[in-house]
Amino acid sequence: MLVDHFPPLGLRLTTPRLELRLPSSEELAALAGLAAEGVHDPETMPFMVPWTDRPPAEVARGVVQHHWRNLAEWTPEKWEFDLTVFHEGEVVGQQSLWARDLVVLRQVETGSWLGRRYHGRGIGTEMRAAVLHLAFAGLDAEEAVSAAFENSHASNAVSRKLGYQPNGVDRHVIRGAVTIEQRYRLTRADWERHRTVPVTIEGLAPCRPMLGLPK
């Protein structure tokens, strides 16, 4: 089976409402179609790379290419899980977790998006909680970092709710205007104090060597 050659395909995270895993071809197509429908208010741009400003067909194709590229370039020293998020069997978005030299740095980073029709249901908090559990409980990380523009109110709220602390700011040019980015840092101790979402991890043990970790 393909999972025997690429164990991350067998990783599965479950929470009370969600399932997160790498998608099948058909599920990846559904994820791409969801992105093409829109993932944020078109008047704002929450992403450093404005990938959602392209025509819908290009947005969808970009999701597929991004997914394939990260799988193709995966190494134990630098990897990215782009996990598709399912709610009641439906594809609702993507939650990513990535790291560089995890075994040395013990740091992970996260990013995500949700289809617009799934906003406002607390799904964003639950899916980030799932990958934070993977990072701290499963991968022995010591800290997680994230960032969001000041006008990305939902993303900033999720970080604060999960225990992240402000970790500086940066300035970027987005759509020709200056945009302030708020950086966040979550330590293991703060994660322990704030975690409330139960998470189950399946299929992690075979993945450890591909994540740069001992078996």
Side-chain angles (χ1 to χ4, degrees), residues 102-103 106 138-140 204-215:
L102 176 65
V103 71
R106 296 296 179 183
L139 306 182
D140 306 318
L204 176 59
C207 300
R208 289 180 66 87
M210 289 192 65
L211 300 171
L213 299 171
K215 292 184 178 180

Side-chain angles (χ1 to χ4, degrees), residues 32-33 35-36 54-69:
R54 295 178 291 174
E58 293 184 19
V59 169
R61 184 163 57 250
V63 168
V64 174
Q65 291 177 308
H66 178 81
H67 181 82
W68 286 343
R69 184 183 307 113

Side-chain angles (χ1 to χ4, degrees), residues 60-94:
R61 184 163 57 250
V63 168
V64 174
Q65 291 177 308
H66 178 81
H67 181 82
W68 286 343
R69 184 183 307 113
N70 285 335
L71 294 183
E73 295 178 351
W74 188 300
T75 69
E77 296 75 29
K78 184 179 179 182
W79 50 262
E80 178 170 337
F81 270 115
D82 292 321
L83 300 171
T84 297
V85 182
F86 299 85
H87 173 55
E88 297 181 346
E90 292 187 6
V91 172
V92 299
Q94 178 174 285

Side-chain angles (χ1 to χ4, degrees), residues 152-167:
S152 296
H153 303 297
S155 182
N156 284 288
V158 167
S159 293
R160 291 191 296 267
K161 183 175 183 179
L162 293 174
Y164 288 77
Q165 299 299 315
N167 192 36

Side-chain angles (χ1 to χ4, degrees), residues 148-208:
F149 295 142
E150 285 185 330
N151 60 358
S152 296
H153 303 297
S155 182
N156 284 288
V158 167
S159 293
R160 291 191 296 267
K161 183 175 183 179
L162 293 174
Y164 288 77
Q165 299 299 315
N167 192 36
V169 298
D170 207 347
R171 295 164 69 89
H172 301 278
V173 177
I174 305 295
R175 291 178 171 173
V178 64
T179 302
I180 305 301
E181 179 187 55
Q182 174 67 63
R183 297 195 299 270
Y184 292 95
R185 175 174 177 262
L186 178 68
T187 64
R188 172 179 286 276
D190 283 335
W191 170 71
E192 289 278 7
R193 282 193 290 269
H194 289 83
R195 64 177 176 142
T196 59
V197 178
V199 182
T200 300
I201 305 173
E202 300 175 65
L204 176 59
C207 300
R208 289 180 66 87

Side-chain angles (χ1 to χ4, degrees), residues 30-47 51-60 63 91-94 112-119 175:
L31 184 70
L34 182 66
E37 294 175 10
V39 303
H40 60 82
D41 183 341
E43 297 302 313
T44 65
M45 173 46 66
F47 304 116
W51 59 278
T52 52
D53 273 350
R54 295 178 291 174
E58 293 184 19
V59 169
V63 168
V91 172
V92 299
Q94 178 174 285
S112 65
W113 59 265
L114 273 173
R116 288 193 73 184
R117 64 178 181 267
Y118 300 106
H119 289 195
R175 291 178 171 173

